[in-house]
Amino acid sequence: ITSWGPDRLDVFVRGVDNQIYQETCTADCAGNAGSWSDWAVLPGGLVKSRPAAIARTAGVIDVFVQGMDDFLWSTRYADDTQQWNGFSRIDTGTALKWDANCPDCSAPAATSHDGSTADVFIRTADDHVATGSLGGSGWTGYTFLGGVTNGAPGTVSNARTTPRWDLVVMMPEENDA
């Protein structure tokens, strides 16, 4: 779920058919109340993971997913065109982890540290955490943060005087055996 401002909520889910669906509230958004749209399919194909959505500025939503090829894919909605641009692969050579027994353990996370850049976090195929950013100059590529994780990353950001994000990951316990 993401919001670009008051009385705007956008909810995204992966359906049983492996497509991404969106439902939007545009007025009186509180609980089950409000003016909600019908569920609509985002154009662009099939995905493996739950979506990570971020409204980095009013009128712009970025959605990130793990594609069927185990790479990061994204799509963007722009209010000026009122349409999604379709999913495209962010081709960086770094594959995401896939575990068929736990598909949500591989989902990317997204946030914005400055209100203009989409920051994305992934669990790599070798269980490391990496981050990359999508902004006006395009994709930055991944920076590896170190450590080993056994779950999908989670992140949150809040407007602060200093741009920052907070990242949470599950770390496997050490085994001294």
Side-chain angles (χ1 to χ4, degrees), residues 2-170:
T2 192
S3 176
W4 72 49
D7 277 331
R8 176 69 188 217
L9 294 174
D10 289 274
V11 178
F12 300 90
V13 298
R14 178 177 57 100
V16 295
D17 60 358
N18 293 323
Q19 295 187 82
I20 300 297
Y21 290 82
Q22 173 192 22
E23 186 179 40
T24 301
C25 182
T26 55
D28 302 319
C29 305
N32 291 335
S35 298
W36 287 90
S37 68
D38 291 331
W39 287 101
V41 175
L42 270 61
L46 305 178
V47 303
K48 280 188 173 180
S49 73
R50 70 175 180 248
I54 182 68
R56 55 182 154 139
T57 189
V60 177
I61 300 172
D62 292 290
V63 174
F64 299 91
V65 295
Q66 181 172 3
M68 298 304 262
D69 62 357
D70 291 327
F71 285 89
L72 186 67
W73 288 68
S74 71
T75 186
R76 175 177 296 148
Y77 174 86
D79 196 36
D80 59 343
T81 62
Q82 296 198 355
Q83 63 183 5
W84 290 94
N85 64 355
F87 281 98
S88 60
R89 180 176 163 175
I90 297 179
D91 192 5
T92 62
T94 301
L96 283 71
K97 178 74 170 203
W98 176 247
D99 180 351
N101 295 319
C102 185
D104 286 341
C105 295
S106 306
T111 190
S112 180
H113 73 277
D114 63 4
S116 65
T117 304
D119 301 301
V120 183
F121 301 86
I122 65 163
R123 177 183 179 193
T124 65
D126 59 358
D127 294 319
H128 289 60
V129 177
T131 182
S133 296
L134 186 61
S137 59
W139 179 252
T140 63
Y142 287 116
T143 299
F144 293 87
L145 301 179
V148 176
T149 184
N150 58 5
T155 186
V156 66
S157 66
N158 190 13
R160 299 177 172 99
T161 56
T162 305
R164 99 175 207 202
W165 41 255
D166 297 303
L167 176 68
V168 177
V169 296
M170 295 290 293

